[in-house]
Amino acid sequence: MSAAEAKPSAQVLRALDMLETLSGHVVDGLTNKDLAAALNCPPSYVTRTAEVLIQKGFVEKHEGTGRFRITTRFSRLTFRVLDSFERAKAELANRQHNYTLTQR
């Protein structure tokens, strides 16, 4: 992998920053202008980045106000991670239990 391939694109970084910023405004969301100011980038960059996040289901744009909000799909990722940790914890406990039984 080349250095250029290993470096994350500006849009990927902006998308992650946008999700982080929107996570603090789940009820009312933020306008394009608000996001541009928070991300220190032109509003057109916000629009293009938001389009990708909307397409993937992580962000929605309110038709009436034009404000962007994070969706519950993003929140569900957290629960999937926690569930994965719980499964790993249970598997580790099971292995520890089985190991203890075989060492007697």
Side-chain angles (χ1 to χ4, degrees):
M1 179 182 291
S2 72
E5 291 172 327
K7 183 180 177 186
S9 77
Q11 188 175 32
V12 169
L13 294 173
R14 191 169 36 258
L16 294 171
D17 288 344
M18 185 181 295
L19 289 171
E20 197 170 327
T21 301
L22 287 171
S23 69
H25 302 275
V26 295
V27 176
D28 295 325
L30 294 171
T31 65
N32 190 304
K33 183 180 177 182
D34 294 335
L35 281 166
L39 301 174
N40 196 27
C41 69
S44 60
Y45 286 18
V46 170
T47 301
R48 283 195 295 271
T49 303
E51 286 173 358
V52 173
L53 292 171
I54 289 168
Q55 182 181 4
K56 293 302 289 177
F58 292 115
V59 169
E60 64 186 6
K61 185 175 183 178
H62 188 275
E63 290 184 28
T65 64
R67 295 171 81 83
F68 296 102
R69 292 187 309 194
I70 205 162
T71 66
T72 57
R73 180 176 187 189
F74 182 76
S75 302
R76 287 192 303 263
L77 292 176
T78 302
F79 293 112
R80 286 176 58 195
V81 169
L82 292 173
D83 183 55
S84 181
F85 275 125
E86 286 301 317
R87 285 193 314 272
K89 185 175 153 184
E91 177 61 26
L92 182 59
N94 186 45
R95 287 182 185 187
Q96 185 178 21
H97 175 74
N98 290 341
Y99 180 78
T100 303
L101 289 177
T102 61
Q103 297 303 313
R104 290 182 182 179

